[in-house]
Amino acid sequence: MEEHSLAADWDELVALTTMQISVVQLDNGETRIRQEFPDEEVVESAAARIRPILLNGDACFYQKALASLGYFCRALPLDTEWVKATRAEWRLRVDPSTPEEAGYWVMISDTVTGEDQGLDRHKLAMAWIYGDVVHHDIERRQEGDAFGLFERFRGAVPLVAWTMVGTIELLNYIRALHEDGVLQLRQEVLDEQVALKSTTWEHSGEVFFAPVGTKAPTTASTPLPKDWARLGKAADLSRFRTGFGGQLLRAARSPRMPELPSPEEIEAARTPAGGWKRDQLAAWGVPWPPPKGWKDELIQRWETARQDGAPPPLPSSAPADFAQETLDFG
């Protein structure tokens, strides 16, 4: 919850828990009622994260965590009172026992059939969370179907936001009790990574390949079996394709380096003092101050790029009938 983008601005998240409605009286006598919400996809991802917090059958159900906290704080009057108040607020905001506590009702009438229907905000919210987003709960979906997707979504936003607020506040309370020694938690419980900061996967390493059907290594630590060869700089990566025809490997330049200068261009860019200007290095993707070996790296990248399209040499250990076109990494 804490890592979700909706929680990046705490004040805005708290504001979403309330019914913020603007009412404007126009000169023609018309009244415009308006509410603004975050993008649906953002709220959908938040709803997926709060799902186990809402379900009493899940191990991390909010009330279960709160009950455990109450046990450890049973000898501490102030903390016990906080747990009781928090439990009551959860029941009111997230699991209301009566429709009157749900916030508002939406009532519609079919002028053709004369049928009237009404649903409170909480049921509309649950119809969106469990009927539209997380899984297809047919009964809840049908119950809120007549009101339309936006009414279900409108009802869900305050519930999702308040659940996030309540969960993050409970997490911070647990942290405080841990620091005070009331709770004895393993540090990895608090330090474990729960969300990705970056979704770019990049590692330095070596790439090995073999013909389709070649025996694969049994474990990550065992030596590669016979006929596996290391991918060299001169390899024609366009030949590596999946069984579906898509290219698996491709030569890529650094995103910081839109242009690769030739050795002659590098030398021509020297200043009279024998160095290079900062903006010129930046255009080549070289940080300032330039690291040791930057020029050799640029030249090596340029030479590698010039070799794109050249067929890779076959390894000496490759079988005579080896053909790179038969490789299948799919």
Side-chain angles (χ1 to χ4, degrees):
M1 302 296 170
E2 195 176 46
E3 297 292 339
H4 195 274
S5 60
L6 277 181
D9 189 315
W10 181 255
D11 291 336
E12 288 188 6
L13 178 61
V14 173
L16 288 176
T17 67
T18 62
M19 291 295 299
Q20 297 196 21
I21 302 176
S22 62
V23 180
V24 179
Q25 296 283 350
L26 302 181
D27 293 339
N28 61 3
E30 181 184 359
T31 300
R32 301 291 296 175
I33 306 170
R34 181 183 179 89
Q35 286 181 271
E36 295 185 5
F37 301 100
D39 290 341
E40 185 183 19
E41 285 182 306
V42 176
V43 184
E44 281 182 353
S45 66
R49 292 192 184 188
I50 70 169
R51 178 181 179 272
I53 304 295
L54 295 175
L55 296 179
N56 56 18
D58 278 54
C60 59
F61 174 49
Y62 184 93
Q63 292 285 42
K64 287 182 180 179
L66 201 59
S68 299
L69 199 63
Y71 172 80
F72 287 103
C73 297
R74 62 191 183 279
L76 304 172
L78 292 179
D79 294 308
T80 298
E81 188 60 32
W82 183 88
V83 170
K84 289 181 178 179
T86 303
R87 180 183 294 113
E89 190 174 15
W90 176 273
R91 289 172 177 168
L92 179 65
R93 295 297 301 265
V94 181
D95 189 21
S97 57
T98 65
E100 287 76 15
E101 296 173 339
Y104 65 84
W105 278 71
V106 176
M107 298 180 182
I108 59 176
S109 180
D110 190 323
T111 57
V112 177
T113 64
E115 182 182 6
D116 295 319
Q117 295 188 58
L119 214 58
D120 63 75
R121 179 202 60 80
H122 182 73
K123 289 182 179 178
L124 286 167
M126 289 301 180
W128 184 79
I129 293 174
Y130 293 109
D132 293 299
V133 179
V134 181
H135 60 76
H136 196 66
D137 188 320
I138 297 178
E139 292 185 2
R140 276 179 167 153
R141 180 65 174 77
Q142 289 178 342
E143 186 179 35
D145 187 61
F147 300 87
L149 175 60
F150 206 106
E151 282 296 345
R152 297 192 295 271
F153 173 72
R154 187 168 75 99
V157 172
L159 175 63
V160 172
W162 197 92
T163 304
M164 291 181 66
V165 168
T167 302
I168 294 171
E169 288 181 341
L170 178 57
L171 173 62
N172 287 329
Y173 205 86
I174 291 173
R175 286 171 174 156
L177 292 175
H178 173 70
E179 293 176 0
D180 292 342
V182 178
L183 297 178
Q184 304 293 329
L185 300 175
R186 299 190 309 274
Q187 192 59 40
E188 57 265 29
V189 173
L190 301 174
D191 296 340
E192 181 182 0
Q193 184 182 14
V194 296
L196 295 174
K197 299 296 185 182
S198 171
T199 53
T200 299
W201 187 91
E202 182 176 4
H203 290 273
S204 297
E206 295 179 312
V207 177
F208 293 84
F209 61 92
V212 174
T214 303
K215 181 181 179 181
T218 55
T219 67
S221 59
T222 56
L224 286 171
K226 182 183 177 182
D227 296 335
W228 282 83
R230 182 177 178 273
L231 186 69
K233 293 189 300 182
D236 179 10
L237 301 183
S238 66
R239 293 171 175 258
F240 290 81
R241 310 187 73 84
T242 70
F244 301 100
Q247 186 174 336
L248 178 68
L249 304 177
R250 62 183 177 86
R253 298 176 180 176
S254 168
R256 301 174 303 169
M257 195 180 302
E259 297 292 337
L260 285 173
S262 67
E264 293 77 16
E265 290 171 330
I266 294 176
E267 290 302 318
R270 279 183 183 270
T271 66
W276 286 265
K277 293 183 178 180
R278 182 172 183 173
D279 56 349
Q280 178 61 76
L281 293 176
W284 294 338
V286 179
W288 187 267
K292 182 179 180 181
W294 67 267
K295 188 168 67 170
D296 292 337
E297 181 181 351
L298 276 183
I299 293 174
Q300 184 181 26
R301 288 174 181 265
W302 179 84
E303 291 175 346
T304 300
R306 294 273 294 176
Q307 292 171 348
D308 283 352
L314 291 176
S316 58
S317 59
D321 60 347
F322 176 83
Q324 215 173 5
E325 287 83 351
T326 64
L327 292 177
D328 182 1
F329 282 73

PDB file of all heavy atoms in Angstrom, residues 1-32:
ATOM      1  N   MET A   1       0.829  -1.197   0.000  1.00  0.00           N
ATOM      2  CA  MET A   1       0.000   0.000   0.000  1.00  0.00           C
ATOM      3  C   MET A   1       0.872   1.260   0.000  1.00  0.00           C
ATOM      4  O   MET A   1       0.649   2.186  -0.765  1.00  0.00           O
ATOM      5  CB  MET A   1      -0.881   0.039   1.254  1.00  0.00           C
ATOM      6  CG  MET A   1      -1.783  -1.139   1.435  1.00  0.00           C
ATOM      7  SD  MET A   1      -3.011  -1.282   0.129  1.00  0.00           S
ATOM      8  CE  MET A   1      -3.649  -2.883   0.528  1.00  0.00           C
ATOM      9  N   GLU A   2       1.854   1.252   0.870  1.00  0.00           N
ATOM     10  CA  GLU A   2       2.689   2.426   1.052  1.00  0.00           C
ATOM     11  C   GLU A   2       3.485   2.754  -0.208  1.00  0.00           C
ATOM     12  O   GLU A   2       3.808   3.924  -0.459  1.00  0.00           O
ATOM     13  CB  GLU A   2       3.644   2.191   2.228  1.00  0.00           C
ATOM     14  CG  GLU A   2       4.315   3.426   2.753  1.00  0.00           C
ATOM     15  CD  GLU A   2       5.148   3.114   3.974  1.00  0.00           C
ATOM     16  OE1 GLU A   2       5.904   2.109   3.959  1.00  0.00           O
ATOM     17  OE2 GLU A   2       5.056   3.855   4.957  1.00  0.00           O
ATOM     18  N   GLU A   3       3.803   1.727  -1.013  1.00  0.00           N
ATOM     19  CA  GLU A   3       4.592   1.932  -2.213  1.00  0.00           C
ATOM     20  C   GLU A   3       3.738   2.295  -3.419  1.00  0.00           C
ATOM     21  O   GLU A   3       4.275   2.618  -4.483  1.00  0.00           O
ATOM     22  CB  GLU A   3       5.398   0.663  -2.521  1.00  0.00           C
ATOM     23  CG  GLU A   3       6.411   0.289  -1.456  1.00  0.00           C
ATOM     24  CD  GLU A   3       7.555   1.282  -1.382  1.00  0.00           C
ATOM     25  OE1 GLU A   3       7.773   2.010  -2.367  1.00  0.00           O
ATOM     26  OE2 GLU A   3       8.222   1.360  -0.336  1.00  0.00           O
ATOM     27  N   HIS A   4       2.422   2.248  -3.300  1.00  0.00           N
ATOM     28  CA  HIS A   4       1.565   2.520  -4.448  1.00  0.00           C
ATOM     29  C   HIS A   4       1.590   4.014  -4.789  1.00  0.00           C
ATOM     30  O   HIS A   4       1.751   4.862  -3.921  1.00  0.00           O
ATOM     31  CB  HIS A   4       0.128   2.080  -4.155  1.00  0.00           C
ATOM     32  CG  HIS A   4      -0.728   1.990  -5.374  1.00  0.00           C
ATOM     33  ND1 HIS A   4      -1.394   3.082  -5.892  1.00  0.00           N
ATOM     34  CD2 HIS A   4      -1.013   0.957  -6.194  1.00  0.00           C
ATOM     35  CE1 HIS A   4      -2.058   2.714  -6.969  1.00  0.00           C
ATOM     36  NE2 HIS A   4      -1.845   1.435  -7.181  1.00  0.00           N
ATOM     37  N   SER A   5       1.423   4.313  -6.086  1.00  0.00           N
ATOM     38  CA  SER A   5       1.487   5.707  -6.533  1.00  0.00           C
ATOM     39  C   SER A   5       0.405   6.578  -5.899  1.00  0.00           C
ATOM     40  O   SER A   5       0.609   7.784  -5.715  1.00  0.00           O
ATOM     41  CB  SER A   5       1.378   5.770  -8.063  1.00  0.00           C
ATOM     42  OG  SER A   5       0.152   5.205  -8.508  1.00  0.00           O
ATOM     43  N   LEU A   6      -0.747   6.006  -5.547  1.00  0.00           N
ATOM     44  CA  LEU A   6      -1.793   6.802  -4.901  1.00  0.00           C
ATOM     45  C   LEU A   6      -1.351   7.312  -3.532  1.00  0.00           C
ATOM     46  O   LEU A   6      -1.873   8.323  -3.049  1.00  0.00           O
ATOM     47  CB  LEU A   6      -3.072   5.968  -4.744  1.00  0.00           C
ATOM     48  CG  LEU A   6      -4.007   5.879  -5.943  1.00  0.00           C
ATOM     49  CD1 LEU A   6      -5.221   5.026  -5.599  1.00  0.00           C
ATOM     50  CD2 LEU A   6      -4.447   7.260  -6.415  1.00  0.00           C
ATOM     51  N   ALA A   7      -0.411   6.607  -2.912  1.00  0.00           N
ATOM     52  CA  ALA A   7       0.054   7.003  -1.587  1.00  0.00           C
ATOM     53  C   ALA A   7       1.241   7.957  -1.654  1.00  0.00           C
ATOM     54  O   ALA A   7       1.758   8.369  -0.610  1.00  0.00           O
ATOM     55  CB  ALA A   7       0.436   5.765  -0.772  1.00  0.00           C
ATOM     56  N   ALA A   8       1.688   8.313  -2.867  1.00  0.00           N
ATOM     57  CA  ALA A   8       2.843   9.204  -3.001  1.00  0.00           C
ATOM     58  C   ALA A   8       2.534  10.591  -2.419  1.00  0.00           C
ATOM     59  O   ALA A   8       3.407  11.233  -1.850  1.00  0.00           O
ATOM     60  CB  ALA A   8       3.248   9.317  -4.468  1.00  0.00           C
ATOM     61  N   ASP A   9       1.302  11.041  -2.579  1.00  0.00           N
ATOM     62  CA  ASP A   9       0.868  12.313  -1.985  1.00  0.00           C
ATOM     63  C   ASP A   9      -0.167  11.980  -0.910  1.00  0.00           C
ATOM     64  O   ASP A   9      -1.319  11.680  -1.210  1.00  0.00           O
ATOM     65  CB  ASP A   9       0.262  13.229  -3.053  1.00  0.00           C
ATOM     66  CG  ASP A   9       0.008  14.639  -2.537  1.00  0.00           C
ATOM     67  OD1 ASP A   9      -0.535  14.770  -1.412  1.00  0.00           O
ATOM     68  OD2 ASP A   9       0.329  15.607  -3.251  1.00  0.00           O
ATOM     69  N   TRP A  10       0.260  12.037   0.345  1.00  0.00           N
ATOM     70  CA  TRP A  10      -0.596  11.599   1.443  1.00  0.00           C
ATOM     71  C   TRP A  10      -1.862  12.450   1.545  1.00  0.00           C
ATOM     72  O   TRP A  10      -2.955  11.922   1.765  1.00  0.00           O
ATOM     73  CB  TRP A  10       0.179  11.637   2.755  1.00  0.00           C
ATOM     74  CG  TRP A  10      -0.611  11.173   3.935  1.00  0.00           C
ATOM     75  CD1 TRP A  10      -1.156  11.938   4.923  1.00  0.00           C
ATOM     76  CD2 TRP A  10      -0.968   9.822   4.232  1.00  0.00           C
ATOM     77  NE1 TRP A  10      -1.816  11.153   5.829  1.00  0.00           N
ATOM     78  CE2 TRP A  10      -1.727   9.849   5.440  1.00  0.00           C
ATOM     79  CE3 TRP A  10      -0.732   8.600   3.622  1.00  0.00           C
ATOM     80  CZ2 TRP A  10      -2.233   8.692   6.024  1.00  0.00           C
ATOM     81  CZ3 TRP A  10      -1.236   7.445   4.207  1.00  0.00           C
ATOM     82  CH2 TRP A  10      -1.977   7.491   5.384  1.00  0.00           C
ATOM     83  N   ASP A  11      -1.730  13.749   1.381  1.00  0.00           N
ATOM     84  CA  ASP A  11      -2.896  14.627   1.500  1.00  0.00           C
ATOM     85  C   ASP A  11      -3.931  14.314   0.419  1.00  0.00           C
ATOM     86  O   ASP A  11      -5.141  14.314   0.680  1.00  0.00           O
ATOM     87  CB  ASP A  11      -2.473  16.089   1.410  1.00  0.00           C
ATOM     88  CG  ASP A  11      -1.663  16.533   2.621  1.00  0.00           C
ATOM     89  OD1 ASP A  11      -1.815  15.897   3.679  1.00  0.00           O
ATOM     90  OD2 ASP A  11      -0.894  17.504   2.514  1.00  0.00           O
ATOM     91  N   GLU A  12      -3.464  14.052  -0.790  1.00  0.00           N
ATOM     92  CA  GLU A  12      -4.392  13.725  -1.865  1.00  0.00           C
ATOM     93  C   GLU A  12      -5.070  12.374  -1.610  1.00  0.00           C
ATOM     94  O   GLU A  12      -6.254  12.201  -1.914  1.00  0.00           O
ATOM     95  CB  GLU A  12      -3.660  13.696  -3.211  1.00  0.00           C
ATOM     96  CG  GLU A  12      -3.270  15.073  -3.720  1.00  0.00           C
ATOM     97  CD  GLU A  12      -2.734  15.026  -5.134  1.00  0.00           C
ATOM     98  OE1 GLU A  12      -2.768  13.934  -5.749  1.00  0.00           O
ATOM     99  OE2 GLU A  12      -2.272  16.070  -5.628  1.00  0.00           O
ATOM    100  N   LEU A  13      -4.340  11.435  -1.063  1.00  0.00           N
ATOM    101  CA  LEU A  13      -4.931  10.130  -0.751  1.00  0.00           C
ATOM    102  C   LEU A  13      -6.007  10.277   0.315  1.00  0.00           C
ATOM    103  O   LEU A  13      -7.104   9.712   0.182  1.00  0.00           O
ATOM    104  CB  LEU A  13      -3.851   9.158  -0.275  1.00  0.00           C
ATOM    105  CG  LEU A  13      -4.332   7.762   0.134  1.00  0.00           C
ATOM    106  CD1 LEU A  13      -4.986   7.042  -1.040  1.00  0.00           C
ATOM    107  CD2 LEU A  13      -3.184   6.930   0.693  1.00  0.00           C
ATOM    108  N   VAL A  14      -5.720  11.034   1.359  1.00  0.00           N
ATOM    109  CA  VAL A  14      -6.710  11.258   2.418  1.00  0.00           C
ATOM    110  C   VAL A  14      -7.927  11.982   1.858  1.00  0.00           C
ATOM    111  O   VAL A  14      -9.078  11.679   2.217  1.00  0.00           O
ATOM    112  CB  VAL A  14      -6.087  12.054   3.579  1.00  0.00           C
ATOM    113  CG1 VAL A  14      -7.147  12.443   4.595  1.00  0.00           C
ATOM    114  CG2 VAL A  14      -4.984  11.234   4.260  1.00  0.00           C
ATOM    115  N   ALA A  15      -7.704  12.911   0.927  1.00  0.00           N
ATOM    116  CA  ALA A  15      -8.816  13.645   0.333  1.00  0.00           C
ATOM    117  C   ALA A  15      -9.748  12.716  -0.441  1.00  0.00           C
ATOM    118  O   ALA A  15     -10.963  12.943  -0.493  1.00  0.00           O
ATOM    119  CB  ALA A  15      -8.293  14.749  -0.581  1.00  0.00           C
ATOM    120  N   LEU A  16      -9.197  11.668  -1.026  1.00  0.00           N
ATOM    121  CA  LEU A  16     -10.020  10.728  -1.782  1.00  0.00           C
ATOM    122  C   LEU A  16     -10.963   9.922  -0.883  1.00  0.00           C
ATOM    123  O   LEU A  16     -11.939   9.353  -1.363  1.00  0.00           O
ATOM    124  CB  LEU A  16      -9.135   9.755  -2.566  1.00  0.00           C
ATOM    125  CG  LEU A  16      -8.402  10.318  -3.772  1.00  0.00           C
ATOM    126  CD1 LEU A  16      -7.487   9.254  -4.373  1.00  0.00           C
ATOM    127  CD2 LEU A  16      -9.385  10.816  -4.827  1.00  0.00           C
ATOM    128  N   THR A  17     -10.680   9.858   0.398  1.00  0.00           N
ATOM    129  CA  THR A  17     -11.536   9.093   1.311  1.00  0.00           C
ATOM    130  C   THR A  17     -12.834   9.832   1.613  1.00  0.00           C
ATOM    131  O   THR A  17     -13.757   9.247   2.182  1.00  0.00           O
ATOM    132  CB  THR A  17     -10.801   8.809   2.636  1.00  0.00           C
ATOM    133  OG1 THR A  17     -10.599  10.040   3.351  1.00  0.00           O
ATOM    134  CG2 THR A  17      -9.456   8.148   2.388  1.00  0.00           C
ATOM    135  N   THR A  18     -12.909  11.104   1.268  1.00  0.00           N
ATOM    136  CA  THR A  18     -14.097  11.907   1.577  1.00  0.00           C
ATOM    137  C   THR A  18     -14.897  12.160   0.312  1.00  0.00           C
ATOM    138  O   THR A  18     -14.420  11.976  -0.805  1.00  0.00           O
ATOM    139  CB  THR A  18     -13.693  13.245   2.207  1.00  0.00           C
ATOM    140  OG1 THR A  18     -12.914  13.988   1.263  1.00  0.00           O
ATOM    141  CG2 THR A  18     -12.865  13.020   3.463  1.00  0.00           C
ATOM    142  N   MET A  19     -16.110  12.604   0.476  1.00  0.00           N
ATOM    143  CA  MET A  19     -16.982  12.925  -0.654  1.00  0.00           C
ATOM    144  C   MET A  19     -16.759  14.378  -1.044  1.00  0.00           C
ATOM    145  O   MET A  19     -17.410  15.288  -0.515  1.00  0.00           O
ATOM    146  CB  MET A  19     -18.438  12.689  -0.277  1.00  0.00           C
ATOM    147  CG  MET A  19     -18.806  11.234  -0.075  1.00  0.00           C
ATOM    148  SD  MET A  19     -18.670  10.303  -1.602  1.00  0.00           S
ATOM    149  CE  MET A  19     -19.855  11.162  -2.620  1.00  0.00           C
ATOM    150  N   GLN A  20     -15.828  14.621  -1.935  1.00  0.00           N
ATOM    151  CA  GLN A  20     -15.548  15.979  -2.388  1.00  0.00           C
ATOM    152  C   GLN A  20     -16.337  16.251  -3.658  1.00  0.00           C
ATOM    153  O   GLN A  20     -16.016  15.758  -4.729  1.00  0.00           O
ATOM    154  CB  GLN A  20     -14.046  16.159  -2.633  1.00  0.00           C
ATOM    155  CG  GLN A  20     -13.214  15.991  -1.364  1.00  0.00           C
ATOM    156  CD  GLN A  20     -11.810  16.545  -1.527  1.00  0.00           C
ATOM    157  OE1 GLN A  20     -11.559  17.377  -2.386  1.00  0.00           O
ATOM    158  NE2 GLN A  20     -10.909  16.082  -0.702  1.00  0.00           N
ATOM    159  N   ILE A  21     -17.388  17.054  -3.524  1.00  0.00           N
ATOM    160  CA  ILE A  21     -18.284  17.349  -4.634  1.00  0.00           C
ATOM    161  C   ILE A  21     -18.355  18.859  -4.820  1.00  0.00           C
ATOM    162  O   ILE A  21     -18.542  19.603  -3.856  1.00  0.00           O
ATOM    163  CB  ILE A  21     -19.706  16.794  -4.363  1.00  0.00           C
ATOM    164  CG1 ILE A  21     -19.647  15.275  -4.138  1.00  0.00           C
ATOM    165  CG2 ILE A  21     -20.646  17.124  -5.507  1.00  0.00           C
ATOM    166  CD1 ILE A  21     -20.990  14.681  -3.769  1.00  0.00           C
ATOM    167  N   SER A  22     -18.172  19.302  -6.053  1.00  0.00           N
ATOM    168  CA  SER A  22     -18.320  20.729  -6.353  1.00  0.00           C
ATOM    169  C   SER A  22     -19.681  20.959  -6.998  1.00  0.00           C
ATOM    170  O   SER A  22     -20.113  20.189  -7.851  1.00  0.00           O
ATOM    171  CB  SER A  22     -17.204  21.203  -7.293  1.00  0.00           C
ATOM    172  OG  SER A  22     -17.269  20.520  -8.535  1.00  0.00           O
ATOM    173  N   VAL A  23     -20.365  22.008  -6.554  1.00  0.00           N
ATOM    174  CA  VAL A  23     -21.692  22.369  -7.068  1.00  0.00           C
ATOM    175  C   VAL A  23     -21.611  23.780  -7.636  1.00  0.00           C
ATOM    176  O   VAL A  23     -21.187  24.712  -6.950  1.00  0.00           O
ATOM    177  CB  VAL A  23     -22.751  22.294  -5.956  1.00  0.00           C
ATOM    178  CG1 VAL A  23     -24.117  22.681  -6.510  1.00  0.00           C
ATOM    179  CG2 VAL A  23     -22.794  20.893  -5.347  1.00  0.00           C
ATOM    180  N   VAL A  24     -21.996  23.909  -8.905  1.00  0.00           N
ATOM    181  CA  VAL A  24     -21.927  25.200  -9.587  1.00  0.00           C
ATOM    182  C   VAL A  24     -23.302  25.563 -10.125  1.00  0.00           C
ATOM    183  O   VAL A  24     -23.945  24.753 -10.811  1.00  0.00           O
ATOM    184  CB  VAL A  24     -20.900  25.161 -10.744  1.00  0.00           C
ATOM    185  CG1 VAL A  24     -20.862  26.504 -11.474  1.00  0.00           C
ATOM    186  CG2 VAL A  24     -19.520  24.790 -10.221  1.00  0.00           C
ATOM    187  N   GLN A  25     -23.748  26.764  -9.804  1.00  0.00           N
ATOM    188  CA  GLN A  25     -25.011  27.286 -10.324  1.00  0.00           C
ATOM    189  C   GLN A  25     -24.729  28.107 -11.582  1.00  0.00           C
ATOM    190  O   GLN A  25     -24.038  29.123 -11.528  1.00  0.00           O
ATOM    191  CB  GLN A  25     -25.693  28.159  -9.266  1.00  0.00           C
ATOM    192  CG  GLN A  25     -26.113  27.424  -8.004  1.00  0.00           C
ATOM    193  CD  GLN A  25     -27.378  26.600  -8.208  1.00  0.00           C
ATOM    194  OE1 GLN A  25     -28.036  26.714  -9.234  1.00  0.00           O
ATOM    195  NE2 GLN A  25     -27.704  25.775  -7.236  1.00  0.00           N
ATOM    196  N   LEU A  26     -25.249  27.664 -12.722  1.00  0.00           N
ATOM    197  CA  LEU A  26     -25.044  28.373 -13.967  1.00  0.00           C
ATOM    198  C   LEU A  26     -26.067  29.495 -14.129  1.00  0.00           C
ATOM    199  O   LEU A  26     -27.110  29.506 -13.468  1.00  0.00           O
ATOM    200  CB  LEU A  26     -25.143  27.405 -15.143  1.00  0.00           C
ATOM    201  CG  LEU A  26     -24.160  26.215 -15.114  1.00  0.00           C
ATOM    202  CD1 LEU A  26     -24.336  25.344 -16.354  1.00  0.00           C
ATOM    203  CD2 LEU A  26     -22.717  26.688 -15.000  1.00  0.00           C
ATOM    204  N   ASP A  27     -25.764  30.441 -15.030  1.00  0.00           N
ATOM    205  CA  ASP A  27     -26.649  31.588 -15.236  1.00  0.00           C
ATOM    206  C   ASP A  27     -28.017  31.172 -15.770  1.00  0.00           C
ATOM    207  O   ASP A  27     -29.019  31.862 -15.537  1.00  0.00           O
ATOM    208  CB  ASP A  27     -25.999  32.582 -16.209  1.00  0.00           C
ATOM    209  CG  ASP A  27     -24.758  33.228 -15.608  1.00  0.00           C
ATOM    210  OD1 ASP A  27     -24.645  33.226 -14.363  1.00  0.00           O
ATOM    211  OD2 ASP A  27     -23.905  33.704 -16.388  1.00  0.00           O
ATOM    212  N   ASN A  28     -28.050  30.017 -16.471  1.00  0.00           N
ATOM    213  CA  ASN A  28     -29.337  29.581 -17.035  1.00  0.00           C
ATOM    214  C   ASN A  28     -30.180  28.805 -16.029  1.00  0.00           C
ATOM    215  O   ASN A  28     -31.206  28.235 -16.373  1.00  0.00           O
ATOM    216  CB  ASN A  28     -29.105  28.728 -18.277  1.00  0.00           C
ATOM    217  CG  ASN A  28     -28.295  27.460 -17.981  1.00  0.00           C
ATOM    218  OD1 ASN A  28     -27.952  27.198 -16.830  1.00  0.00           O
ATOM    219  ND2 ASN A  28     -27.983  26.693 -19.011  1.00  0.00           N
ATOM    220  N   GLY A  29     -29.710  28.779 -14.777  1.00  0.00           N
ATOM    221  CA  GLY A  29     -30.461  28.088 -13.739  1.00  0.00           C
ATOM    222  C   GLY A  29     -30.080  26.639 -13.565  1.00  0.00           C
ATOM    223  O   GLY A  29     -30.539  25.985 -12.625  1.00  0.00           O
ATOM    224  N   GLU A  30     -29.222  26.125 -14.449  1.00  0.00           N
ATOM    225  CA  GLU A  30     -28.797  24.724 -14.343  1.00  0.00           C
ATOM    226  C   GLU A  30     -27.787  24.570 -13.212  1.00  0.00           C
ATOM    227  O   GLU A  30     -26.957  25.449 -12.971  1.00  0.00           O
ATOM    228  CB  GLU A  30     -28.169  24.276 -15.664  1.00  0.00           C
ATOM    229  CG  GLU A  30     -27.706  22.819 -15.663  1.00  0.00           C
ATOM    230  CD  GLU A  30     -27.010  22.433 -16.957  1.00  0.00           C
ATOM    231  OE1 GLU A  30     -26.905  23.306 -17.852  1.00  0.00           O
ATOM    232  OE2 GLU A  30     -26.580  21.279 -17.073  1.00  0.00           O
ATOM    233  N   THR A  31     -27.858  23.467 -12.514  1.00  0.00           N
ATOM    234  CA  THR A  31     -26.917  23.150 -11.443  1.00  0.00           C
ATOM    235  C   THR A  31     -26.012  22.014 -11.906  1.00  0.00           C
ATOM    236  O   THR A  31     -26.495  20.950 -12.294  1.00  0.00           O
ATOM    237  CB  THR A  31     -27.658  22.733 -10.159  1.00  0.00           C
ATOM    238  OG1 THR A  31     -28.510  23.806  -9.733  1.00  0.00           O
ATOM    239  CG2 THR A  31     -26.665  22.407  -9.053  1.00  0.00           C
ATOM    240  N   ARG A  32     -24.694  22.247 -11.861  1.00  0.00           N
ATOM    241  CA  ARG A  32     -23.723  21.230 -12.261  1.00  0.00           C
ATOM    242  C   ARG A  32     -23.050  20.656 -11.018  1.00  0.00           C
ATOM    243  O   ARG A  32     -22.528  21.390 -10.172  1.00  0.00           O
ATOM    244  CB  ARG A  32     -22.653  21.833 -13.174  1.00  0.00           C
ATOM    245  CG  ARG A  32     -23.206  22.466 -14.447  1.00  0.00           C
ATOM    246  CD  ARG A  32     -23.766  21.414 -15.384  1.00  0.00           C
ATOM    247  NE  ARG A  32     -22.739  20.507 -15.857  1.00  0.00           N
ATOM    248  CZ  ARG A  32     -22.980  19.435 -16.616  1.00  0.00           C
ATOM    249  NH1 ARG A  32     -24.237  19.138 -16.956  1.00  0.00           N
ATOM    250  NH2 ARG A  32     -22.010  18.664 -17.022  1.00  0.00           N
TER     251      ARG A  32
END
